[in-house]
Amino acid sequence: MGARLRLLRALCMCSALAIALPARPPSVTIGALFTFDSVIGSSAATAIRLAVDDINRDATLLRGTNLSVLMQDTKCSGFVGTIQALELMEKQVVAVVGPQSSGIAHVVSHVVSQLRVPLVSFAATDPALASAQYPFFVRAAHDDAFQMAAVADVVAHFGWREVTAVYVDTDYGRGGVDALGDALEAAARARITCKAAFPPGADSAALVDLLVRASMMESRVFVVHAAPDSGLDIFAAAHKLGMMDSGYVWIATEWLAAAIDSSSAAASWRTTAMSRIQGVLTLRQYTPDSDAKRSLEARFAAAANRQNATAEAAGSMMNAYGLFAYDAVWMAARAIDQFLGDGGNISFSADPSIRDANGSALRLSSLRVFDQGEQLLRKVMLANFTGVTGQVRFSGRSLVNPAYEVLNVGGTGVRRVGYWSNGTRLSVAAPSWADGGAAPPSNGTQQQQKLYSVIWPGDTTAPPRGWVFPNNGRPLRIGVPYRTTYRQFVSKDPRAPDGVSGYCIDVFKAAVALLPYPVPVSFIPFGDGVKNPSYGELVQRVAGGSFDAAVGDVSIVTNRTRVVDFTQPYVESGLVIVSPVKATGSNEWAFLKPFTPGMWAVTGAFFLFVGAVVWILEHRFNPDFRGPPRKQMVTIFWFSFSTMFFAHSEEHREHPWSLRPHHLALRRAHHQLQLHRQPDLHPDGAAAVDGHPGPRQPPLQQRPHRLPGGLLRPQLHDGGARRAGVAPPRARHRPVRRQPAARPR
């Protein structure tokens, strides 16, 4: 009975769950917007079909729901792309894969934001699309901000400072060049000196005229940011003008690698286009090798062979955009599966703000709003899986782990010379990430950023200088401090040929004279001539482009090295003392010069102070310090100043006494002045020495004793001794053992 109840309860729970969760729809439709007849579109079309087939064969994904895709051709037109997007919206698609063009993405993003349909693009790389203005735009590839950071690191690696940007004048081109300018300033302290923009669909004559004007500038480093279908015309024009020879540097963004990968097997490509791009550096979005990637590329080649009838097009490879298009479809499918698994219901409703005007045939009223579009968008942004391009996960609104391959065109193919990633920057080792897609810490130093050797245009391996003197260029503007002090270093000088003079100017001219080519310069004084100018402001003027360089006594400090480059210091003073040089004579009184009047006064005051102290201590007992006041003053002065020339001591003989430690004596360095306390006298203190009797001494009572106040004779009675300030000595006799005389041998 209990088992039946448990079974009945389980059946009730299952039926309640079935009632709570709506049934999955039998099919779900997504849209795809791209240009069919293009380098990117031809690869993306095959990749999207293969992705839909793989998703429908996967039993663990969209369980019971079939995924279908509707493809619309935008024909590289913003207007046509908008019309095709509206047609997709009429068919109530839940998501759109594409478009490939950044310009069309800007327009279509407004449409999908109004109708709440997620737009997952695999090739629109304009950084401006990451703005909050386009909340339903999701980029399933890396934007150009990372690609331009890689280009800037290449420029910094070879030490170039000026770049000419050649780009298509569209949202895609302008956004990429803006990102390049920011990256150059941040990574290499370089700048774009010339922006050569050409309109979409420009003919050969327009491109030749553009490159002629660009070649008149001093920069020989060209960065080409264009579409794969029109970018090759730029190199055809450059080859015609002789700009693919030695001395030139050409860096193409990832569009060139996509064009090479898509047509690598065509015989016409190898004989014509490849000969025009020898020595070019290009980038390719890095995708790690995997079994899934190799399987997809093999199936792509087989499908391309079946679809293309001509032998010229057969054997085309999948480019990086095709790989990202494949993962974009999987991203949308996984989001739909999670949305349906959470009980989501797909429904559309009319928007009252969208209606047809009187007599309009646009049928705008047929457009419907996807009610659950925001929920599906959140599922898309939570994507976290491993696809053919690597780890697919978002950080903010960008994919994690941006990385690129640095390729060098040579012969009939390309050669990898390094990698770039957001974590390791330039490196010859392939990027690797820890579990979970976290990038390793950046090594951060320019010395660790390295590439393999590059073969430049003209078949040279030496890195080009990257600049020449322009035909219509201007002299270098050199800022010079207009000093008012220490003008010997540098300052304005109307009498000089260049208007400035000084030691720094002489060093600069000597260094320029060593160059194997002339350098026209123009010295511009900086300052008002009333006070010394601000050197920090001068450095900022150089960093800001007001001056090309600065010559002067500019100190090299840390905050200045962050914005400008310094030469090696040619004056290094360290810690010094600066004093005027005066010719002085020497004589016999030179030793008195260090003594100032104040020092003489203090020295004399100390002498008088010492004489006064001695007089206070001695005048009561010593008759030499007594007498008339005049005599006492003379004695004090004489005693004080005579210490500079006399030692005030006399030779003392050894008395046959020994002073006990508890009877101390204080002696002053003055003749006939010896200050004593009560001595402990022993008459036999100097008796036998080495067996011989000591010198014969008179009795103790008859020996004179030198005490304060003069000679004290033993005839003085005790009272006299006490009046003299000395207690009568108490002689303590002890026997002395004499040594016997040595016997003769």
Side-chain angles (χ1 to χ4, degrees), residues 196 299 321 338 343 498 630 635 682 709:
R299 291 187 290 127
Y321 292 107
Q338 294 178 7
D498 297 319
R630 180 175 177 276
T635 303
H682 298 278

Side-chain angles (χ1 to χ4, degrees), residues 476-480 498-500 505 508-509 521-525 551:
L476 293 178
R477 296 168 298 180
I478 307 298
V480 177
D498 297 319
V500 293
I505 301 298
F508 174 76
K509 291 182 178 180
V521 298
S522 174
F523 295 103
I524 303 174
V551 175

Side-chain angles (χ1 to χ4, degrees), residues 27 66 153 187 192 196 198 235 325 348 356 390 412 435 514 564 579 605 629 657 702 708 734:
S27 64
N66 183 70
D153 282 349
I192 300 176
F198 61 92
F235 288 104
F348 294 85
D356 292 321
T412 58
D435 295 338
L514 296 176
V564 296
S579 62
W657 312 330
Q702 299 179 5
R734 62 181 179 182

Side-chain angles (χ1 to χ4, degrees), residues 293-618:
K293 177 183 174 181
R294 287 188 288 269
S295 174
L296 176 63
E297 290 176 341
R299 291 187 290 127
F300 177 90
N305 290 336
R306 291 194 303 267
Q307 294 173 5
N308 298 321
T310 62
E312 286 290 327
S316 297
M317 295 175 57
M318 175 181 283
N319 55 42
Y321 292 107
L323 297 174
F324 281 98
Y326 181 87
D327 276 351
V329 178
W330 275 87
M331 186 187 303
R334 288 176 179 273
I336 295 172
D337 181 62
Q338 294 178 7
F339 169 74
L340 297 177
D342 292 344
N345 185 23
I346 298 176
S347 62
F348 294 85
S349 61
D351 188 350
S353 63
I354 303 176
R355 61 181 183 274
D356 292 321
N358 294 332
S360 176
L362 294 177
R363 297 180 300 174
L364 295 178
S365 59
S366 62
L367 299 177
R368 294 292 184 267
V369 177
F370 182 23
D371 296 331
Q372 293 80 25
E374 293 183 359
Q375 301 176 28
L376 181 61
L377 176 64
R378 287 194 292 269
K379 297 298 182 182
V380 173
M381 298 303 297
L382 292 175
N384 189 0
F385 65 95
T386 302
V388 294
T389 60
Q391 183 72 20
V392 179
R393 183 169 58 86
F394 287 94
S395 176
R397 300 192 63 183
S398 301
L399 285 177
V400 298
N401 306 333
Y404 293 86
E405 298 176 79
V406 183
L407 308 176
N408 184 206
V409 180
T412 58
V414 295
R415 180 175 61 95
R416 185 188 301 114
V417 295
Y419 299 88
W420 182 94
S421 70
N422 199 31
T424 59
R425 316 304 286 186
L426 287 179
S427 175
V428 295
S432 61
W433 293 277
D435 295 338
S442 174
N443 49 36
T445 58
Q446 182 72 21
Q447 289 76 10
Q448 294 172 328
Q449 301 179 9
K450 47 189 177 180
L451 299 173
Y452 290 121
S453 61
V454 177
I455 300 177
W456 304 99
D459 292 332
T460 61
T461 57
R465 189 173 60 188
W467 63 273
V468 294
F469 286 102
N471 296 330
N472 60 345
R474 53 172 175 76
L476 293 178
R477 296 168 298 180
I478 307 298
V480 177
Y482 190 178
R483 293 193 60 94
T484 58
T485 59
Y486 298 106
R487 300 171 63 90
Q488 294 83 358
F489 279 100
V490 62
S491 187
K492 182 178 179 180
D493 187 0
R495 297 172 298 178
D498 297 319
V500 293
S501 63
Y503 175 71
C504 299
I505 301 298
D506 296 339
V507 173
F508 174 76
K509 291 182 178 180
V512 171
L514 296 176
L515 297 176
Y517 44 83
V519 179
V521 298
S522 174
F523 295 103
I524 303 174
F526 174 72
D528 54 8
V530 178
K531 60 180 180 180
N532 289 332
S534 172
Y535 281 68
E537 184 178 353
L538 176 60
V539 171
Q540 292 299 327
R541 290 285 188 90
V542 175
S546 299
F547 295 128
D548 297 316
V551 175
D553 51 337
V554 183
S555 299
I556 305 175
V557 294
T558 303
N559 60 337
R560 295 176 181 174
T561 58
R562 296 191 180 102
V563 294
V564 296
D565 290 331
F566 285 88
T567 63
Q568 292 296 324
Y570 52 87
V571 174
E572 187 173 0
S573 61
L575 185 62
V576 298
I577 297 176
V578 180
S579 62
V581 177
K582 296 181 180 179
T584 58
S586 178
N587 52 35
E588 62 275 9
W589 299 102
F591 71 95
L592 295 178
K593 291 185 177 181
F595 292 89
T596 62
M599 184 177 294
W600 282 110
V602 172
T603 304
F606 269 106
F607 285 148
L608 295 178
F609 174 75
V610 172
V613 171
V614 173
W615 178 83
I616 293 173
L617 297 177
E618 295 291 329

Side-chain angles (χ1 to χ4, degrees), residues 188-208:
R189 291 205 297 270
R191 58 195 176 102
I192 300 176
T193 56
C194 177
K195 293 184 178 181
F198 61 92
D203 57 9
S204 176
L207 294 178
V208 168

Side-chain angles (χ1 to χ4, degrees), residues 31-33 70 72 84-93:
L33 283 174
L70 296 175
Q72 297 288 342
Q84 297 298 330
L86 293 175
E87 290 185 4
L88 282 178
M89 298 300 107
E90 287 181 356
K91 299 174 183 178
Q92 298 183 357
V93 295

